[in-house]
Coordinates of all heavy atoms in Angstrom, one line a residue:
P214 N -138.7 -38.9 7.5 CA -139.7 -38.1 8.2 C -140.9 -37.7 7.3 O -142.0 -37.6 7.8 CB -138.9 -36.9 8.7 CG -137.7 -36.8 7.8 CD -137.4 -38.2 7.4
L215 N -140.7 -37.5 6.0 CA -141.8 -37.1 5.1 C -142.8 -38.3 5.1 O -144.0 -38.1 5.1 CB -141.3 -36.8 3.7 CG -140.7 -35.4 3.6 CD1 -140.0 -35.2 2.2 CD2 -141.8 -34.3 3.8
T216 N -142.2 -39.5 5.0 CA -143.1 -40.7 4.9 C -143.9 -40.8 6.2 O -145.1 -41.1 6.2 CB -142.2 -42.0 4.7 OG1 -141.5 -41.9 3.5 CG2 -143.1 -43.2 4.7
G217 N -143.2 -40.5 7.4 CA -143.9 -40.5 8.6 C -145.1 -39.5 8.7 O -146.2 -39.8 9.2
I218 N -144.8 -38.3 8.2 CA -145.8 -37.2 8.3 C -147.0 -37.6 7.4 O -148.2 -37.4 7.8 CB -145.2 -35.9 7.8 CG1 -144.2 -35.4 8.8 CG2 -146.3 -34.8 7.5 CD1 -143.4 -34.2 8.3
I219 N -146.7 -38.1 6.2 CA -147.8 -38.5 5.3 C -148.6 -39.7 5.9 O -149.8 -39.7 5.9 CB -147.2 -38.9 3.9 CG1 -146.6 -37.7 3.2 CG2 -148.3 -39.5 3.0 CD1 -145.8 -38.0 2.0
G220 N -147.9 -40.6 6.4 CA -148.6 -41.8 7.0 C -149.4 -41.4 8.2 O -150.6 -41.9 8.3
N221 N -148.9 -40.6 9.1 CA -149.7 -40.3 10.3 C -150.9 -39.4 10.0 O -151.9 -39.5 10.6 CB -148.8 -39.6 11.3 CG -147.8 -40.6 12.0 OD1 -148.3 -41.7 12.4 ND2 -146.6 -40.2 12.2
S222 N -150.7 -38.4 9.1 CA -151.8 -37.5 8.7 C -152.8 -38.3 8.0 O -154.1 -38.0 8.1 CB -151.2 -36.4 7.9 OG -150.6 -36.8 6.7
T223 N -152.5 -39.3 7.1 CA -153.4 -40.1 6.4 C -154.3 -40.9 7.4 O -155.5 -41.0 7.3 CB -152.7 -41.0 5.4 OG1 -152.0 -40.2 4.4 CG2 -153.8 -41.9 4.7
T224 N -153.6 -41.5 8.4 CA -154.3 -42.3 9.4 C -155.3 -41.4 10.1 O -156.4 -41.8 10.4 CB -153.3 -42.9 10.4 OG1 -152.4 -43.7 9.7 CG2 -154.0 -43.7 11.5
Y225 N -154.9 -40.2 10.5 CA -155.8 -39.3 11.2 C -157.0 -39.0 10.4 O -158.1 -39.0 10.9 CB -155.0 -38.0 11.5 CG -155.7 -37.1 12.5 CD1 -155.3 -36.9 13.8 CD2 -156.9 -36.4 12.1 CE1 -155.9 -36.1 14.7 CE2 -157.5 -35.5 13.0 CZ -157.0 -35.4 14.3 OH -157.7 -34.5 15.1
I226 N -156.8 -38.6 9.1 CA -157.9 -38.2 8.2 C -158.8 -39.4 7.9 O -160.1 -39.3 8.0 CB -157.3 -37.6 6.9 CG1 -156.6 -36.3 7.2 CG2 -158.5 -37.4 5.9 CD1 -155.8 -35.8 6.0
D227 N -158.3 -40.6 7.6 CA -159.1 -41.7 7.2 C -159.8 -42.3 8.4 O -160.9 -43.0 8.2 CB -158.2 -42.8 6.6 CG -157.7 -42.3 5.2 OD1 -158.2 -41.3 4.7 OD2 -156.8 -42.9 4.7
N228 N -159.3 -42.1 9.6 CA -159.9 -42.8 10.8 C -160.3 -41.9 11.9 O -160.4 -42.3 13.1 CB -158.9 -43.9 11.3 CG -158.5 -44.9 10.3 OD1 -159.2 -45.8 10.0 ND2 -157.3 -44.7 9.8
S229 N -160.6 -40.6 11.5 CA -160.8 -39.6 12.6 C -162.0 -39.9 13.5 O -162.0 -39.6 14.6 CB -161.0 -38.2 11.9 OG -162.1 -38.3 11.0
E230 N -163.0 -40.6 12.9 CA -164.2 -40.9 13.7 C -164.0 -42.0 14.6 O -164.7 -42.1 15.7 CB -165.4 -41.2 12.7 CG -165.8 -40.0 11.8 CD -167.0 -40.3 11.0 OE1 -167.5 -41.5 11.0 OE2 -167.5 -39.4 10.2
S231 N -163.2 -42.9 14.3 CA -163.0 -44.1 15.2 C -161.8 -43.9 16.2 O -161.7 -44.7 17.1 CB -162.7 -45.3 14.4 OG -161.6 -45.2 13.6
L232 N -160.9 -42.9 16.0 CA -159.8 -42.7 16.9 C -160.2 -42.0 18.2 O -161.0 -41.2 18.2 CB -158.7 -41.9 16.2 CG -158.0 -42.5 15.0 CD1 -157.1 -41.5 14.3 CD2 -157.1 -43.7 15.4
T233 N -159.6 -42.5 19.3 CA -159.8 -41.8 20.5 C -159.0 -40.5 20.5 O -158.1 -40.3 19.7 CB -159.3 -42.6 21.7 OG1 -157.9 -42.8 21.6 CG2 -160.0 -44.0 21.7
D234 N -159.3 -39.6 21.5 CA -158.6 -38.3 21.6 C -157.1 -38.6 21.9 O -156.2 -37.8 21.3 CB -159.2 -37.5 22.7 CG -160.5 -36.9 22.3 OD1 -160.9 -36.9 21.1 OD2 -161.3 -36.5 23.3
Q235 N -156.8 -39.6 22.7 CA -155.4 -39.9 23.0 C -154.7 -40.4 21.7 O -153.5 -40.0 21.5 CB -155.3 -41.0 24.1 CG -153.9 -41.3 24.5 CD -153.9 -42.3 25.7 OE1 -154.9 -42.8 26.1 NE2 -152.7 -42.5 26.2
E236 N -155.3 -41.2 20.9 CA -154.7 -41.7 19.7 C -154.5 -40.5 18.7 O -153.4 -40.5 18.0 CB -155.6 -42.8 19.0 CG -155.6 -44.1 19.8 CD -156.6 -45.1 19.3 OE1 -157.6 -44.6 18.7 OE2 -156.4 -46.3 19.5
K237 N -155.4 -39.6 18.6 CA -155.3 -38.5 17.7 C -154.1 -37.6 18.2 O -153.3 -37.1 17.4 CB -156.5 -37.6 17.7 CG -157.7 -38.3 17.0 CD -159.0 -37.4 17.1 CE -160.1 -38.1 16.4 NZ -161.4 -37.2 16.5
L238 N -154.0 -37.4 19.5 CA -152.9 -36.6 20.1 C -151.6 -37.2 19.8 O -150.6 -36.5 19.4 CB -153.1 -36.4 21.6 CG -152.0 -35.6 22.3 CD1 -151.9 -34.2 21.8 CD2 -152.3 -35.6 23.8

Side-chain angles (χ1 to χ4, degrees):
L215 281 172
T216 300
I218 291 171
I219 293 170
N221 286 317
S222 59
T223 300
T224 299
Y225 190 108
I226 293 170
D227 292 347
N228 303 281
S229 59
E230 295 183 357
S231 60
L232 292 171
T233 65
D234 289 343
Q235 185 176 4
E236 289 171 334
K237 290 178 180 179
L238 179 61

